[in-house]
Amino acid sequence: MEINKKVSEALNSVREKTPLVHHITNYVTVNDCANITLAIGGSPVMADDINEVRDMVSLASAFVINIGTLNSRTVEAMLEGGKRANELNIPVVLDPVGAGATAYRTEIAKRILDEVKLSVVRGNLSEIKTLYGIETQTKGVDSGETIDENADEFTMAKEVAKNFAKKLNTVVAITGAVDIITDGETLYTAHNGHKIMAKITGTGCMCTSLIGSYLGAADSALIAALAGITSMSIAGEVAYENLDKNNEGTGTLKSRIIDGIYNLNENVIIERGRINEE
């Protein structure tokens, strides 16, 4: 319950501070990322041109890099923005969407890791394993692997996350059926969410935007990552429970996830949050 309280305090901080969260993200989910940022209490900006990225990052409380739809123009803006954020001690979160799917995508993700100091890296198991250096399978930009909490793979995933976090001196979050969040020392597993969320494009991207919002207001990157993931997962649960199963589906679900974030409060987090420290 103590960790749920810390997450709820982080939510209150976002809503008090209204952090400006600068995104360079993908055009498939850019509107969803903007709306989820607004719903949690942040202020989104989606400027990706290299001619203004340094100025825009300078105004921000956090910077989100999402490589979902890569092109050479935005890659340079991502790197320039990340370096500017580092100069100003503005936290940066990377979503390495589809790392491992193509050589170019993997190369760019690793280049960002090398050239930008990151506060949080959030990805699925395949993406994180690829960046860590373990051969894996991907299916487009989706994970080819899932985490079974009772399998040896789950133990391996926790070790990969911890070791990678230590190597990068950052927070690594692996999202899936069970989420793993660690700074290399402390490790949390989070157990909220619903499998139907995988049927909606952009739930991972929106989760990263939430982490960016929390990073812009919280003192701890570890708590920010945990709070973003827990918030998204609880909203997904609530959204699914509120569906009329006879005539509503994934379109309504996405809207209700955003509603769930907008209506999220301290009581909901404390009552519903299922977080373990390991």
Side-chain angles (χ1 to χ4, degrees), residues 198-215:
K199 299 293 185 182
I200 302 172
T201 298
T203 50
C205 300
M206 288 188 278
C207 182
T208 302
S209 291
L210 293 177
I211 292 171
S213 300
Y214 279 107
L215 277 173

Side-chain angles (χ1 to χ4, degrees), residues 153-204:
E153 183 82 356
F154 187 60
T155 300
M156 180 278 296
K158 289 190 287 186
E159 286 305 308
V160 166
K162 264 195 168 183
N163 291 338
F164 199 24
K166 287 178 182 176
K167 178 182 176 182
L168 296 176
N169 189 27
T170 191
V171 172
V172 170
I174 303 176
T175 50
V178 178
D179 306 305
I180 298 166
I181 305 98
T182 181
D183 60 1
E185 299 297 333
T186 302
L187 185 144
Y188 294 106
T189 55
H191 302 257
N192 291 101
H194 192 279
K195 63 183 180 181
I196 197 174
M197 295 171 73
K199 299 293 185 182
I200 302 172
T201 298
T203 50

Side-chain angles (χ1 to χ4, degrees), residues 99-100 106 110 125-134 136 138:
T106 304
K110 289 184 174 179
L125 180 58
S126 296
E127 291 158 354
I128 297 301
K129 283 176 66 177
T130 293
L131 296 183
Y132 185 63
I134 299 174
T136 186
T138 60

Side-chain angles (χ1 to χ4, degrees), residues 192-200 232-246 248-250 252-260 272:
N192 291 101
H194 192 279
K195 63 183 180 181
I196 197 174
M197 295 171 73
K199 299 293 185 182
I200 302 172
M232 187 68 188
S233 298
I234 289 175
E237 284 179 357
V238 172
Y240 177 73
E241 290 167 10
N242 289 335
L243 280 182
D244 180 341
K245 307 303 190 300
N246 294 318
E248 293 179 340
T250 52
T252 304
L253 182 75
K254 184 169 76 170
S255 296
R256 291 198 172 163
I257 287 174
I258 294 172
D259 289 345
R272 298 188 71 115

Side-chain angles (χ1 to χ4, degrees), residues 39-62:
I40 198 70
S43 178
V45 62
M46 281 34 197
D48 65 6
D49 193 278
I50 197 164
N51 292 304
E52 67 171 352
V53 67
R54 285 179 61 86
D55 290 341
M56 196 64 78
V57 167
S58 300
L59 301 173
S61 299

